[in-house]
Amino acid sequence: TDEGGITQFQKKIVDNTISINVSYGKYKQFDNIYYPTKIDLKLMNGNIEFKVNSIKKVDKFDSPFSFTIPLGIERLYID
């Protein structure tokens, strides 16, 4: 895309059949980074559509992560 984001990801199984197809679109900028606000996930037995309504920076979480976040990584809440 013009924003530098990927538009599609595919995973195929041994016979070259697409088992996962992910399409990314409607990128919006947040903190100088472009994020897709629409993600379509097509699986062999169903489809899932994600729509992002808002993105905001989170400085503190109510519950701890189950792993240690590396230094320098900013945590974001995606709704």
Side-chain angles (χ1 to χ4, degrees), residues 28-46:
K28 290 189 179 174
Q29 186 177 9
F30 174 78
D31 260 358
N32 296 318
I33 299 172
Y34 285 92
Y35 293 93
T37 61
K38 184 174 186 230
I39 302 169
D40 292 318
L41 176 62
K42 293 183 175 79
L43 306 169
M44 294 179 77
N45 58 353

Side-chain angles (χ1 to χ4, degrees), residues 58-73:
V58 177
D59 293 318
K60 184 177 178 184
F61 284 85
D62 295 331
S63 59
F65 283 88
S66 59
F67 58 92
T68 302
I69 302 295
L71 293 175
I73 300 296

Side-chain angles (χ1 to χ4, degrees), residues 3-20:
E3 300 86 13
I6 64 170
T7 57
Q8 188 173 20
F9 167 83
Q10 289 184 342
K11 182 171 182 170
K12 297 180 180 181
I13 56 178
V14 178
D15 70 356
N16 218 25
T17 300
I18 297 172
S19 62
I20 299 172

